[in-house]
Amino acid sequence: LVAQQRLNKIRKDQQQRAEALSREQEKLKQHAQLVEIHAVDVEKALNVINSALDTGMDWEALNLLVEVEQKNQNPIALLIKKLVLEQDEMILSLPNTLSDNDENAHIKVTISLQESAHGNARKMFAK
């Protein structure tokens, strides 16, 4: 009886892990599709941030520049939700054009500064 209970607990745990993995894969697939759909804007954001870093702009100044551009309603700057420069990443808020439910819905997607837009999408699809 105890062995059966343990076995059931293990099965339930494995089922939950499999479901969580499946949800994570689906989320990454959706992120990859959004990066592909918005590849031009993602590439523009990557170019702006990487160009600033290449000129030696310090991180604080770069964050300030993004904030100023957001206040000026720069459409590319408005996509940038957060710079995670210590990990060579940024978080973009991309319009969810995959869903008909809410036209204003945005999804936060982590983008590597080391990859192109399509390179980021490829890596997401591969996970």
Side-chain angles (χ1 to χ4, degrees), residues 30-31 33-39 41-42 75-76 78-81 92-100 102-109:
Q30 180 187 42
H31 288 190
Q33 289 171 329
L34 288 173
V35 169
E36 283 184 335
I37 291 167
H38 301 288
D41 289 340
V42 171
I76 299 304
L78 290 171
L79 293 176
I80 300 171
K81 287 300 152 205
L92 299 182
S93 180
L94 299 176
N96 185 4
T97 50
L98 300 172
S99 172
D100 296 334
D102 186 359
E103 292 180 15
N104 296 323
H106 282 67
I107 294 182
K108 291 180 182 170
V109 180

Side-chain angles (χ1 to χ4, degrees), residues 13-127:
D13 184 52
Q14 290 296 323
Q15 180 66 30
Q16 289 173 336
R17 288 181 188 193
E19 288 169 3
L21 250 172
S22 182
R23 283 192 302 274
E24 181 65 19
Q25 280 183 316
E26 200 53 43
K27 183 177 107 177
L28 283 169
K29 179 182 171 189
Q30 180 187 42
H31 288 190
Q33 289 171 329
L34 288 173
V35 169
E36 283 184 335
I37 291 167
H38 301 288
V40 171
D41 289 340
V42 171
E43 203 61 50
K44 286 179 184 176
L46 283 165
N47 288 337
V48 167
I49 299 304
N50 283 325
S51 294
L53 291 171
D54 289 345
T55 64
M57 182 179 281
D58 73 53
W59 295 0
E60 199 173 307
L62 182 52
N63 274 306
L64 190 59
L65 175 66
V66 170
E67 287 177 24
V68 167
E69 288 301 315
Q70 287 172 337
K71 287 177 185 167
N72 291 333
Q73 297 298 303
N74 178 316
I76 299 304
L78 290 171
L79 293 176
I80 300 171
K81 287 300 152 205
K82 184 177 181 183
L83 296 175
V84 190
L85 299 173
E86 58 277 2
Q87 294 176 11
D88 278 334
E89 295 175 344
M90 68 177 156
I91 299 172
L92 299 182
S93 180
L94 299 176
N96 185 4
T97 50
L98 300 172
S99 172
D100 296 334
N101 297 345
D102 186 359
E103 292 180 15
N104 296 323
H106 282 67
I107 294 182
K108 291 180 182 170
V109 180
T110 301
I111 300 293
S112 168
L113 298 176
Q114 302 297 313
E115 299 284 338
S116 67
H118 291 292
N120 271 283
R122 252 191 321 278
K123 280 193 168 185
M124 290 174 200
F125 276 126
K127 287 185 180 178

